[in-house]
Amino acid sequence: MSDAPTRVIVAMTGASATPYAWRLLERLAGARIGVELMVSENIDALCRVELASSLDAELTRIYRKAPAPGEKLGEAEDGGPLVRRHGLRDFAAAAASGSGREVPMVVVPCSTGTLGRIAGGVSDNLITRAADVCLKERRRLVLVPRETPLSAIHLENMLRLTHAGATILPASPGFYQGGERVEQLVDFVVQRILGQLGLRHLGRYAGWGEDEPS
Ligand SMILES: Cc1cc2nc3c(=O)[nH]c(=O)nc-3n(C[C@H](O)[C@H](O)[C@H](O)COP(=O)(O)O)c2cc1C
């Protein structure tokens, strides 16, 4: 586990599927993995629609306080902040440059708009710029779209991103681990995200045919 990351860039964009992001943040906070948080404009609206909650309420639930853009809270295992929230125009953030150490990135949920902009190399905000940096530096980049059905444009963008080194991880839970409750289905996808980030040991379930989570 020595090569497991101690810090992760978590970007949330305006697609349905925010519960996956909150569960991921819970898991990371529980393990004291530091998070560089980037949130696009629609997230508050999505939290209200999907969870009858709000961005600040969810952040407060997980971190005891909701960090404002530019604010950092708590202490992670690596000595950095437990969470640092970035403004979308914070192009001075470390994640906007390839010169720093590798921090893997996940965009969850990933809207088709953000997916298209990353595929097109359009670094118009910190999320798309940080993703662009991951691709050019050959770093781990996991994109979690929810969209269905998919157009040829979506599929071509996904193929392009896969060729460039990203992992497209659709928010499509499997049912073979006995998912009776929504929480279990959410955990299924979050476990796959954690695995792609090199943090499989934080997951809840064993892999198919395995006895223990490892
Ligand atoms: C309630 C709600 C649900 C949405 N669901 C999706 C979705 O599942 N997938 C998607 O690509 N866009 C979805 N959108 C539209 C995006 O939020 C919109 O295209 C936005 O411009 C994306 O911008 P962003 O990528 O900067 O967050 C949704 C919007 C709202 C208000």
Side-chain angles (χ1 to χ4, degrees):
M1 251 169 258
S2 56
D3 60 346
T6 58
R7 185 155 292 276
V8 175
I9 300 167
V10 179
M12 298 178 68
T13 64
S16 177
T18 54
Y20 297 108
W22 300 124
R23 184 62 55 86
L24 176 67
L25 290 175
E26 284 170 25
R27 288 274 182 282
L28 296 174
R32 296 189 62 216
I33 306 282
V35 166
E36 304 293 331
L37 183 67
M38 303 167 187
V39 173
S40 88
E41 281 164 11
N42 263 345
I43 291 301
D44 200 47
L46 278 150
C47 283
R48 289 179 196 284
V49 171
E50 297 194 314
L51 299 170
S53 184
S54 68
L55 173 64
D56 280 2
E58 292 304 304
L59 288 173
T60 302
R61 182 174 62 75
I62 297 167
Y63 295 110
R64 292 203 273 175
K65 184 173 180 268
E71 195 179 358
K72 51 189 178 180
L73 296 175
E75 188 177 333
E77 197 68 46
D78 69 356
L82 191 58
V83 60
R84 174 174 16 220
R85 183 172 162 196
H86 298 275
L88 281 182
R89 310 236 63 82
D90 180 13
F91 292 109
S97 166
S99 60
R101 70 171 163 127
E102 170 162 6
V103 179
M105 176 172 186
V106 56
V107 185
V108 55
C110 185
S111 74
T112 54
T114 289
L115 193 130
R117 286 192 289 279
I118 299 170
V122 181
S123 300
D124 58 342
N125 64 34
L126 183 61
I127 295 173
T128 48
R129 170 60 186 167
D132 203 49
V133 168
C134 285
L135 293 177
K136 82 183 176 77
E137 300 293 333
R138 308 290 193 268
R139 295 175 179 171
R140 273 174 283 192
L141 173 64
V142 182
L143 306 175
V144 186
R146 189 239 28 111
E147 200 62 45
T148 192
L150 296 165
S151 72
I153 294 169
H154 302 146
L155 290 165
E156 282 174 5
N157 284 338
M158 290 180 190
L159 183 60
R160 198 166 188 206
L161 286 161
T162 302
H163 284 321
T167 297
I168 306 295
L169 196 155
S172 48
F175 290 78
Y176 57 79
Q177 272 167 326
E180 291 164 3
R181 292 181 292 117
V182 171
E183 293 77 27
Q184 289 173 296
L185 300 176
V186 171
D187 274 332
F188 181 99
V189 171
V190 169
Q191 177 133 353
R192 302 308 298 265
I193 296 171
L194 288 168
Q196 287 297 323
L197 293 172
L199 292 165
R200 188 171 184 273
H201 54 286
L202 301 186
R204 284 219 162 144
Y205 302 121
W208 180 253
E210 294 178 344
D211 297 325
E212 303 282 340
S214 60

